[in-house]
Amino acid sequence: MPDRVFVFDTTLRDGEQSPGVRLSMSQKLEIGEALAQLGVDIIEAGFPISSPGDFEAVNTLAKALKDVQVCGLTRAREKDIDVAGEALKPASNPRIHTGLGVSDNHLQFKLKMSREEALETGVKAVKHAKRYTDNIEYFMEDSGRADRSYVYKVVEEVIKAGATTINVPDTTGYTLPMEYRDLMAGIRENVPNIDKAVLSCHCHNDLGMATANTLAGVIGGARQVEVTVNGIGERAGNTALEEVAMAFVIREDLFNVQTRIQCKNLLAISRLVSHYTGMMVQRNKAVVGANAYAHSSGIHQDGVLKERSTYEIIDPAMVGAEKSEIILTARSGRHGLKHRLAEMGFNFNEDRFEEIYSKFIEVADKKTEVLDDDLKELVTTR
Ligand code: KIV
Ligand code: ZN
């Protein structure tokens, strides 16, 4: 029986922190509804004390979405937690996400606290959050650069205080996959009460490792993944929801885990979030990029036309994409051209096809892509 992995979406909180992004309330609600339909388990809708807009987002989604947990972020401060508790009042299963830094860097330069003071502050915050809900997630900011023995101590104490999910953020995107896996595995091995909480991966993409680290964290024993649609988020972004969801499906042999994600909705939600945030999805983006199922070279086209799986590990229909595309360029071969012409209703004998193919190569050498209109002209002139 596969293990369940919970999907915690933070598109509306960490994702909205992307420089230049500001979503309206109605856009947040529409994205929240789409996320619920997609099958995420928890939606982090905002940081309620940070602005009236964030308060309203958490409050509105808490009212509107009943089959998903709605979560509000707080610092480890009573006032933050009270405001989040208020925003989450209408939620059917509210989650408070509180915490503070654990790395010596954050303790010294940002928090100006000793390890002991920070631990005490965190424990107090969890106890305070319990006034509002038993569903408490504790984040240890900058875990990726923290001293492991201190991390183990914090995890043990905040679980004793009532935290039920422990978030281990690689806030600065510093770790490599094997380090992040070992961090999770180390927590599981060294924290005596770890069976009372779910471990969560929260990775940033500063070195392009966010997805790899999250997957490694799951191998290390985490059972929650924190993600955003299209990987948007602070600086280089967060782990991309669509990449993790598809990795679990395509490499089921390795992970043997299950989520509730309806993968066929992935492309639609990617487009929705891109449209509302104004953040373009790069063409070569994994899973949802415009080129993800497009084949340009003759060798690849020949393979895919004979059997799709030669060059595609994902059937585009799985993510809601129409079909693989054959892009005609100077690198395309006869098989690709013949296929496209047949799709357009043109079938020629071998001699005529060779003539057309020579003309096609001449045109293709001048253009990045040969389009249907070019082909029509090519076949109708002699
Ligand atoms: O990256 C981070 O550490 C965060 C926390 C606030 C969870 O976003
Ligand atoms: Zn983050």
Side-chain angles (χ1 to χ4, degrees):
M1 176 84 175
D3 258 12
R4 178 83 153 79
V5 168
F6 298 97
V7 177
F8 175 112
D9 182 274
T10 183
T11 304
L12 298 176
R13 198 279 297 169
D14 221 330
E16 216 224 4
Q17 286 173 219
S18 304
V21 172
R22 195 67 195 154
L23 295 166
S24 70
M25 190 53 246
S26 63
Q27 290 170 337
K28 286 183 188 178
L29 184 58
E30 200 179 324
I31 292 173
E33 282 165 348
L35 286 168
Q37 264 183 19
L38 180 72
V40 308
D41 299 286
I42 304 114
I43 296 177
E44 186 168 54
F47 179 9
I49 204 169
S50 68
S51 74
D54 268 41
F55 182 96
E56 195 194 350
V58 173
N59 190 250
T60 304
L61 268 68
K63 272 185 212 141
L65 305 176
K66 295 301 171 197
D67 297 330
V68 65
Q69 297 173 48
V70 176
C71 173
L73 181 76
T74 83
R75 290 165 297 187
R77 294 185 186 174
E78 288 193 357
K79 181 76 182 144
D80 282 35
I81 294 166
D82 293 338
V83 173
E86 183 60 32
L88 286 165
K89 236 181 204 162
S92 53
N93 188 355
R95 174 175 294 195
I96 291 181
H97 187 191
T98 193
L100 83 169
V102 287
S103 68
D104 288 336
N105 179 298
H106 276 218
L107 292 172
Q108 185 187 344
F109 298 118
K110 190 178 106 163
L111 299 167
K112 307 201 186 302
M113 281 182 190
S114 68
R115 288 184 180 184
E116 293 68 33
E117 283 167 329
L119 175 54
E120 200 182 313
T121 305
V123 166
K124 263 197 196 150
V126 173
K127 288 185 176 156
H128 192 73
K130 269 187 88 73
R131 293 177 180 202
Y132 299 100
T133 178
D134 288 332
N135 184 354
I136 301 166
E137 172 165 342
Y138 191 82
F139 69 82
M140 300 180 292
E141 201 177 8
D142 203 19
S143 293
R145 293 189 297 172
D147 173 61
R148 293 268 170 97
S149 58
Y150 180 59
V151 166
Y152 302 154
K153 181 81 195 144
V154 173
V155 176
E156 184 177 353
E157 294 306 319
V158 297
I159 292 175
K160 273 190 208 155
T164 47
T165 302
I166 301 295
N167 182 7
V168 187
D170 182 23
T171 306
T172 53
Y174 176 75
T175 62
L176 298 186
M178 62 279 204
E179 288 174 309
Y180 197 67
R181 177 201 61 202
D182 291 350
L183 176 56
M184 289 295 181
I187 294 172
R188 279 171 60 83
E189 277 155 27
N190 292 285
V191 176
N193 54 359
I194 195 63
D195 57 311
K196 298 197 169 51
V198 172
L199 276 174
S200 183
C201 307
H202 179 113
C203 298
H204 280 268
N205 206 31
D206 300 66
L207 291 175
M209 304 278 175
T211 297
N213 283 347
T214 295
L215 296 173
V218 170
I219 291 169
R223 286 296 175 265
Q224 178 176 286
V225 291
E226 306 203 0
V227 291
T228 61
V229 175
N230 299 334
I232 63 171
E234 282 279 359
R235 305 182 310 282
N238 289 62
T239 303
L241 187 162
E242 60 279 3
E243 293 175 8
V244 172
M246 285 311 293
F248 287 155
V249 172
I250 299 295
R251 298 309 312 271
E252 192 193 359
D253 57 322
L254 207 142
F255 289 104
N256 193 27
V257 298
Q258 213 177 321
T259 70
R260 291 194 313 156
I261 297 298
Q262 302 294 313
C263 292
K264 64 181 188 319
N265 295 359
L266 285 171
L267 190 61
I269 200 161
S270 160
R271 288 183 177 159
L272 179 75
V273 169
S274 172
H275 179 61
Y276 283 160
T277 58
M279 291 190 68
M280 300 269 295
V281 174
Q282 71 194 55
R283 292 187 70 84
N284 62 330
K285 165 83 182 59
V287 182
V288 292
N291 288 355
Y293 310 100
H295 305 273
S296 158
S297 89
I299 295 174
H300 289 213
Q301 290 177 348
D302 182 51
V304 163
L305 290 171
K306 285 175 176 150
E307 163 56 39
R308 193 190 53 77
S309 63
T310 51
Y311 287 96
E312 273 182 6
I313 57 165
I314 302 173
D315 179 344
M318 285 174 84
V319 302
E322 266 188 8
K323 60 181 170 89
S324 320
E325 266 185 283
I326 298 294
I327 308 292
L328 295 178
T329 70
R331 287 166 306 283
S332 300
R334 288 173 173 77
H335 197 165
L337 177 63
K338 206 173 254 179
H339 172 82
R340 185 71 203 120
L341 288 172
E343 277 185 338
M344 293 169 69
F346 297 113
N347 291 293
F348 299 101
N349 66 34
E350 277 312 304
D351 288 348
R352 176 71 181 126
F353 177 75
E354 281 306 316
E355 256 174 57
I356 292 169
Y357 181 70
S358 313
K359 282 204 268 175
F360 161 77
I361 289 294
E362 272 173 41
V363 175
D365 253 342
K366 295 189 193 111
K367 298 193 69 179
T368 40
E369 187 180 337
V370 181
L371 304 173
D372 288 356
D373 281 348
D374 301 315
L375 289 182
K376 270 186 215 146
E377 196 177 317
L378 223 140
V379 300
T380 49
T381 52
R382 290 204 102 150

